[in-house]
Amino acid sequence: MSNKIKKNSLIFVAGHNGLVGSSVIRRLKFHGYKNILTISRNRLDLRNQNKVNTFFSRNKIEAVINAAAIVGGIYANNKYKADFIYDNILIQSNIINSCFNHNIKQMIFLGSSCVYPRNCKQPIKEEYLLKGELEKTNEPYAVAKISGIKMCESFNYQYKTNYKCLMPCNTYGPNDNYDTLTSHFFPALIKKIHEAKIKKKKSIVLWGNGKAKREIMYVDDLADACIHFMNVNTKESLINVGSNYEKTILEYANFIIKKLGLKIKIRFDKSKPNGTPRKILNSKLAKNYGWKAKVSLNNGFEKVYSSFLKK
Ligand SMILES: NC(=O)c1ccc[n+]([C@@H]2O[C@H](COP(=O)([O-])OP(=O)(O)OC[C@H]3O[C@@H](n4cnc5c(N)ncnc54)[C@H](OP(=O)(O)O)[C@@H]3O)[C@@H](O)[C@H]2O)c1
């Protein structure tokens, strides 16, 4: 069912400086939305419910895309477990509650494919949520995100809101985090292989055994999914948004090595974790609602690498 947000409606994008938030801003502008509201973290800490409520009271917001969260790869998830669960639960709960208090019907909440059980059947359907044990390396993050999904579902059920929880696969693009320890695997690979090029290294070392399979998506596709679902009412609260593009970590490394015109060896540090063995989403539901990813790995990589070089 259509529920179009007007081009001059006030849309609040939380987390606008991040990988996903900055893409949402780019894509909203591209699609002709004129009234986009943002606020920096030092002016509004989204963990503070009173301040979040006051901010919502002062602005006539009609839709919210929440791209604010504490996010990271295996190392960060493991080391900062408390921040991953506490901050994420506060940020998302405050935004959901303020949307409700201010009668905002359209809110997009972003989760991640790691909310699904570690060993669940692949491709992962939405109905597999809570049907098995989570991956230990990101359990607190996943539990926070699952509580966000259940909160949206509960508000939708009790108060007839239409909050949507989009579960994306791994996402990459401009404005990503390239910190060696806290980044996700794809930006970490880009940085490692680029540095090998600059330093004329003969080999690189990757975490784990390289056999884990991952689905990745260019961030503008995810931003377009947020905008698409902001404009449709759905029966379901939980919707997977994946690209259906899957390779092993080793294959991604070889892809980047080839793109940079290098001939280097890959060695593995098998003392480091692999994470979940395979994660690919079944995104048929999103497709049935009219969304699908468009950007190829080749095009996405060209864009992300040129933005990486400008950093
Ligand atoms: N990256 C991925 O591969 C991926 C995949 C699936 C899902 N997602 C989801 O997409 C969403 C955004 O992820 P991302 O990769 O764009 O993360 P990101 O680049 O780290 O951006 C997160 C944003 O949240 C803001 N933020 C964090 N804590 C805050 C607080 N207490 N108050 C106000 N703002 C706060 C940050 O502000 P500062 O800029 O001031 O630090 C930053 O702008 C997350 O919900 C994540 O779960 C991401």
Side-chain angles (χ1 to χ4, degrees), residues 14-21 39-42 44-47 66-71 87-88 91 109-113 141 145 166-172 175-177 184 222:
H16 66 287
N17 285 323
L19 166 67
V20 180
I39 185 160
S40 64
R41 190 206 291 228
N42 49 19
L44 177 64
D45 184 340
L46 293 165
R47 292 171 302 180
N66 178 12
I70 301 293
V71 177
D87 285 24
N88 283 326
I91 293 170
F109 167 66
L110 291 167
S112 147
S113 54
Y141 176 71
K145 292 291 185 184
L166 301 186
M167 295 305 115
C169 59
N170 266 283
T171 305
Y172 68 97
N175 265 337
D176 213 338
N177 167 18
H184 284 115
L222 174 54

Side-chain angles (χ1 to χ4, degrees), residues 278-290:
R278 186 181 182 212
K279 274 202 284 190
I280 181 151
L281 295 168
N282 176 324
S283 302
K284 281 195 184 137
L285 181 59
K287 204 170 161 204
N288 292 345
Y289 280 112

